[in-house]
Short mmCIF file of all heavy atoms in Angstrom, two decimals:
data_model
loop_
_atom_site.label_atom_id
_atom_site.label_comp_id
_atom_site.label_asym_id
_atom_site.label_seq_id
_atom_site.Cartn_x
_atom_site.Cartn_y
_atom_site.Cartn_z
N ASP A 199 -55.02 14.87 108.45
CA ASP A 199 -55.65 16.00 109.13
C ASP A 199 -55.67 15.79 110.64
O ASP A 199 -55.38 16.72 111.41
CB ASP A 199 -57.07 16.22 108.62
CG ASP A 199 -57.10 16.78 107.20
OD1 ASP A 199 -56.05 17.26 106.73
OD2 ASP A 199 -58.17 16.73 106.57
N LYS A 200 -56.01 14.60 111.07
CA LYS A 200 -56.06 14.32 112.50
C LYS A 200 -54.66 14.27 113.11
O LYS A 200 -54.43 14.73 114.23
CB LYS A 200 -56.81 13.01 112.76
CG LYS A 200 -58.30 13.09 112.42
CD LYS A 200 -59.03 11.81 112.80
CE LYS A 200 -60.49 11.85 112.36
NZ LYS A 200 -61.26 12.92 113.00
N ILE A 201 -53.72 13.68 112.38
CA ILE A 201 -52.34 13.61 112.88
C ILE A 201 -51.81 15.01 113.11
O ILE A 201 -51.21 15.30 114.16
CB ILE A 201 -51.47 12.83 111.88
CG1 ILE A 201 -51.88 11.35 111.86
CG2 ILE A 201 -49.99 12.96 112.23
CD1 ILE A 201 -51.29 10.55 110.72
N ARG A 202 -52.00 15.89 112.16
CA ARG A 202 -51.50 17.26 112.31
C ARG A 202 -52.20 17.98 113.47
O ARG A 202 -51.59 18.79 114.17
CB ARG A 202 -51.72 18.04 111.01
CG ARG A 202 -50.74 17.66 109.91
CD ARG A 202 -50.75 18.70 108.80
NE ARG A 202 -49.66 18.47 107.85
CZ ARG A 202 -49.84 18.22 106.55
NH1 ARG A 202 -51.06 18.16 106.05
NH2 ARG A 202 -48.81 18.05 105.76
N ARG A 203 -53.48 17.67 113.67
CA ARG A 203 -54.23 18.33 114.74
C ARG A 203 -53.65 18.00 116.11
O ARG A 203 -53.62 18.85 117.01
CB ARG A 203 -55.70 17.91 114.69
CG ARG A 203 -56.57 18.68 115.68
CD ARG A 203 -57.93 18.07 115.85
NE ARG A 203 -58.55 17.69 114.59
CZ ARG A 203 -59.58 16.85 114.49
NH1 ARG A 203 -60.10 16.31 115.59
NH2 ARG A 203 -60.09 16.55 113.32
N PHE A 204 -53.18 16.76 116.28
CA PHE A 204 -52.73 16.34 117.61
C PHE A 204 -51.22 16.46 117.81
O PHE A 204 -50.74 16.20 118.91
CB PHE A 204 -53.19 14.90 117.89
CG PHE A 204 -54.69 14.79 118.03
CD1 PHE A 204 -55.45 14.09 117.11
CD2 PHE A 204 -55.34 15.40 119.09
CE1 PHE A 204 -56.83 13.99 117.24
CE2 PHE A 204 -56.72 15.33 119.23
CZ PHE A 204 -57.47 14.62 118.30
N LEU A 205 -50.49 16.85 116.78
CA LEU A 205 -49.07 17.10 116.95
C LEU A 205 -48.84 18.57 117.31
O LEU A 205 -49.57 19.45 116.85
CB LEU A 205 -48.31 16.78 115.67
CG LEU A 205 -47.97 15.32 115.41
CD1 LEU A 205 -47.42 15.14 114.00
CD2 LEU A 205 -46.96 14.79 116.44
N PRO A 206 -47.82 18.85 118.11
CA PRO A 206 -47.53 20.25 118.44
C PRO A 206 -47.10 21.02 117.19
O PRO A 206 -46.59 20.46 116.23
CB PRO A 206 -46.36 20.14 119.43
CG PRO A 206 -46.34 18.72 119.88
CD PRO A 206 -46.93 17.91 118.77
N GLY A 207 -47.29 22.34 117.25
CA GLY A 207 -46.80 23.18 116.16
C GLY A 207 -45.29 23.06 116.03
O GLY A 207 -44.58 22.89 117.02
N GLY A 208 -44.81 23.12 114.83
CA GLY A 208 -43.38 23.02 114.60
C GLY A 208 -42.88 21.62 114.32
O GLY A 208 -41.71 21.44 113.99
N VAL A 209 -43.75 20.62 114.48
CA VAL A 209 -43.38 19.24 114.16
C VAL A 209 -43.76 18.96 112.71
O VAL A 209 -44.91 19.17 112.31
CB VAL A 209 -44.07 18.23 115.10
CG1 VAL A 209 -43.74 16.80 114.67
CG2 VAL A 209 -43.64 18.46 116.54
N THR A 210 -42.81 18.50 111.93
CA THR A 210 -43.04 18.20 110.52
C THR A 210 -43.54 16.76 110.37
O THR A 210 -42.94 15.84 110.93
CB THR A 210 -41.74 18.35 109.71
OG1 THR A 210 -41.29 19.70 109.80
CG2 THR A 210 -41.94 17.98 108.25
N VAL A 211 -44.64 16.59 109.65
CA VAL A 211 -45.16 15.25 109.36
C VAL A 211 -44.71 14.88 107.96
O VAL A 211 -44.89 15.64 107.01
CB VAL A 211 -46.71 15.21 109.42
CG1 VAL A 211 -47.19 13.77 109.31
CG2 VAL A 211 -47.21 15.84 110.70
N PHE A 212 -44.14 13.69 107.84
CA PHE A 212 -43.50 13.30 106.59
C PHE A 212 -44.13 12.03 106.03
O PHE A 212 -43.75 10.92 106.41
CB PHE A 212 -42.00 13.09 106.84
CG PHE A 212 -41.21 12.70 105.63
CD1 PHE A 212 -41.52 13.19 104.37
CD2 PHE A 212 -40.16 11.82 105.75
CE1 PHE A 212 -40.79 12.82 103.26
CE2 PHE A 212 -39.41 11.44 104.65
CZ PHE A 212 -39.73 11.95 103.40
N PRO A 213 -45.12 12.16 105.13
CA PRO A 213 -45.62 10.98 104.42
C PRO A 213 -44.61 10.59 103.34
O PRO A 213 -43.78 11.38 102.92
CB PRO A 213 -46.93 11.47 103.80
CG PRO A 213 -46.74 12.94 103.64
CD PRO A 213 -45.81 13.39 104.74
N GLN A 214 -44.69 9.33 102.89
CA GLN A 214 -43.64 8.79 102.05
C GLN A 214 -43.81 9.02 100.55
O GLN A 214 -42.83 9.04 99.81
CB GLN A 214 -43.56 7.27 102.26
CG GLN A 214 -43.27 6.87 103.68
CD GLN A 214 -43.41 5.36 103.84
OE1 GLN A 214 -44.51 4.85 103.81
NE2 GLN A 214 -42.31 4.69 103.98
N GLY A 215 -45.05 9.14 100.09
CA GLY A 215 -45.33 9.01 98.68
C GLY A 215 -44.49 9.88 97.78
O GLY A 215 -43.85 9.40 96.83
N ALA A 216 -44.47 11.18 98.02
CA ALA A 216 -43.77 12.10 97.14
C ALA A 216 -42.27 11.82 97.12
O ALA A 216 -41.63 11.89 96.06
CB ALA A 216 -44.03 13.55 97.56
N GLN A 217 -41.70 11.47 98.28
CA GLN A 217 -40.27 11.20 98.33
C GLN A 217 -39.92 9.89 97.63
O GLN A 217 -38.90 9.79 96.95
CB GLN A 217 -39.78 11.18 99.78
CG GLN A 217 -38.32 10.80 99.94
CD GLN A 217 -37.37 11.69 99.16
OE1 GLN A 217 -37.69 12.85 98.88
NE2 GLN A 217 -36.20 11.17 98.82
N VAL A 218 -40.76 8.86 97.79
CA VAL A 218 -40.52 7.60 97.08
C VAL A 218 -40.56 7.83 95.57
O VAL A 218 -39.74 7.32 94.81
CB VAL A 218 -41.54 6.53 97.50
CG1 VAL A 218 -41.44 5.29 96.61
CG2 VAL A 218 -41.32 6.14 98.96
N ALA A 219 -41.53 8.63 95.13
CA ALA A 219 -41.64 8.95 93.71
C ALA A 219 -40.42 9.71 93.22
O ALA A 219 -39.88 9.41 92.14
CB ALA A 219 -42.91 9.76 93.46
N ALA A 220 -39.96 10.69 93.98
CA ALA A 220 -38.78 11.46 93.58
C ALA A 220 -37.55 10.58 93.54
O ALA A 220 -36.70 10.72 92.64
CB ALA A 220 -38.58 12.62 94.56
N SER A 221 -37.45 9.67 94.49
CA SER A 221 -36.31 8.75 94.52
C SER A 221 -36.32 7.82 93.30
O SER A 221 -35.28 7.54 92.71
CB SER A 221 -36.34 7.93 95.82
OG SER A 221 -35.26 7.03 95.87
N LEU A 222 -37.51 7.33 92.93
CA LEU A 222 -37.62 6.47 91.76
C LEU A 222 -37.25 7.25 90.49
O LEU A 222 -36.54 6.72 89.61
CB LEU A 222 -39.04 5.91 91.64
CG LEU A 222 -39.33 5.08 90.39
CD1 LEU A 222 -38.40 3.87 90.29
CD2 LEU A 222 -40.79 4.63 90.38
N LYS A 223 -37.72 8.46 90.39
CA LYS A 223 -37.38 9.30 89.23
C LYS A 223 -35.87 9.47 89.11
O LYS A 223 -35.29 9.36 88.01
CB LYS A 223 -38.08 10.66 89.38
CG LYS A 223 -37.97 11.56 88.16
CD LYS A 223 -38.82 12.81 88.36
CE LYS A 223 -38.81 13.68 87.10
NZ LYS A 223 -39.69 14.88 87.28
N ASP A 224 -35.21 9.71 90.24
CA ASP A 224 -33.76 9.86 90.25
C ASP A 224 -33.08 8.53 89.90
O ASP A 224 -32.08 8.51 89.18
CB ASP A 224 -33.31 10.35 91.62
CG ASP A 224 -31.81 10.54 91.71
OD1 ASP A 224 -31.27 11.40 90.97
OD2 ASP A 224 -31.16 9.81 92.48
N TYR A 225 -33.62 7.43 90.43
CA TYR A 225 -33.05 6.10 90.13
C TYR A 225 -33.06 5.84 88.62
O TYR A 225 -32.07 5.37 88.05
CB TYR A 225 -33.84 5.03 90.86
CG TYR A 225 -33.41 3.62 90.53
CD1 TYR A 225 -32.37 3.01 91.23
CD2 TYR A 225 -34.03 2.90 89.51
CE1 TYR A 225 -31.96 1.72 90.93
CE2 TYR A 225 -33.61 1.61 89.19
CZ TYR A 225 -32.58 1.03 89.91
OH TYR A 225 -32.17 -0.25 89.60
#
Side-chain angles (χ1 to χ4, degrees):
D199 288 345
K200 292 185 185 297
I201 291 168
R202 285 195 171 119
R203 187 193 315 163
F204 292 113
L205 279 171
V209 176
T210 299
V211 188
F212 181 35
Q214 300 172 289
Q217 175 56 26
V218 171
S221 180
L222 175 59
K223 188 174 184 178
D224 180 64
Y225 175 87

